[in-house]
Amino acid sequence: MLETESVLARTGGRPLRRIVYTAEEIAGRVREMGEEIAAGIPEHEDLLVLGLLKGSFIFVSDLVREIARPLQVDFLVAASYGAGTVSSGDVRLLYDPSADLEGRHVIIAEDIVDSGTTLNRLIPLLEKRRPRSLEVCALLHKHIAADLVREPRWVGFDAPQEFLIGYGLDHSEDFRNLPFIGSL
Ligand code: IMP
Ligand code: MG
């Protein structure tokens, strides 16, 4: 258990099991991912980064600043989890991007791929809008999804099968503001 004062001050007294990725490790990997993405999309073709809210809000804001080429950013909100830590298997679109996907390279930026349900429901829905390409960039991948309709093209870290919080990831809406990723 991690019970240092600086951690407890941020978690409101709740100890963490451990810090899984430090802020520095995340920044280094996000920088590499930005470079990989910039190199992977043809230079003069339209790129739209579509962040999956809420969990990806910090990841997207860091990632897009590491992609040194023109792009646009939009978000979509798909609610798949309730207050608990278990997937309900039900994905609802609460906010649908206003951006047109047709003919553009679209990268869905996801904080973490767990069961894969969110992506499996979203990808067919977004494919109908005829993007030029549709790829997934996931900061974390637990590699437990049995049948992903599309493997993420870019993955930040192969994550342990623990419940992770911080850097945008929440537990019942708490802990999103931790600068590191920890295990509850
Ligand atoms: P999936 O649909 O099961 O792949 O889950 C995707 C979403 O569930 C992610 O975008 C997260 O918001 C949430 N989620 C999955 N695993 C975790 C976790 O370990 N910590 C926090 N949120 C998680
Ligand atoms: Mg969540």
Side-chain angles (χ1 to χ4, degrees):
M1 283 290 178
L2 249 182
E3 304 189 62
T4 61
E5 261 177 55
S6 63
V7 166
L8 295 182
R10 286 187 178 271
T11 61
R14 180 142 179 196
L16 298 183
R17 266 213 203 138
R18 62 191 180 104
I19 290 177
V20 182
Y21 307 107
T22 65
E24 294 71 24
E25 285 168 333
I26 298 168
R29 187 64 192 115
V30 170
R31 168 161 294 194
E32 290 172 354
M33 294 174 89
E35 289 167 1
E36 290 165 17
I37 289 171
I41 306 290
E43 218 174 316
H44 299 292
E45 296 173 6
D46 270 3
L47 173 60
L48 174 70
V49 175
L50 201 51
L52 259 181
L53 291 178
K54 296 178 202 170
S56 75
F57 79 108
I58 295 177
F59 176 45
V60 168
S61 58
D62 285 345
L63 180 69
V64 294
R65 284 178 288 179
E66 302 293 353
I67 305 176
R69 56 153 289 153
L71 57 75
Q72 293 189 355
V73 183
D74 207 334
F75 292 95
L76 66 80
V77 185
S80 62
Y81 280 68
T85 57
V86 178
S87 173
S88 65
D90 170 47
V91 174
R92 289 171 298 145
L93 268 197
L94 303 180
Y95 167 75
D96 204 355
S98 49
D100 195 4
L101 308 194
E102 188 165 350
R104 313 172 74 185
H105 295 283
V106 177
I107 297 177
I108 303 171
E110 167 76 302
D111 52 354
I112 184 165
V113 180
D114 184 12
S115 71
T117 307
T118 312
L119 286 177
N120 282 346
R121 304 234 172 145
L122 264 179
I123 285 171
L125 195 145
L126 296 177
E127 280 289 11
K128 287 194 192 131
R129 301 180 190 180
R130 305 169 57 82
R132 183 158 187 169
S133 68
L134 183 63
E135 304 273 6
V136 177
C137 173
L139 177 66
L140 303 163
H141 193 342
K142 286 189 182 170
H143 294 284
I144 52 175
D147 44 6
L148 276 183
V149 303
R150 187 149 319 163
E151 270 301 322
R153 178 166 168 192
W154 300 278
V155 175
F157 301 99
D158 295 326
Q161 288 165 29
E162 299 168 32
F163 196 80
L164 303 176
I165 54 163
Y167 197 73
L169 293 157
D170 72 303
H171 176 257
S172 299
E173 296 301 325
D174 290 325
F175 312 118
R176 292 194 197 272
N177 63 323
L178 303 183
F180 51 81
I181 292 172
S183 170
L184 257 196

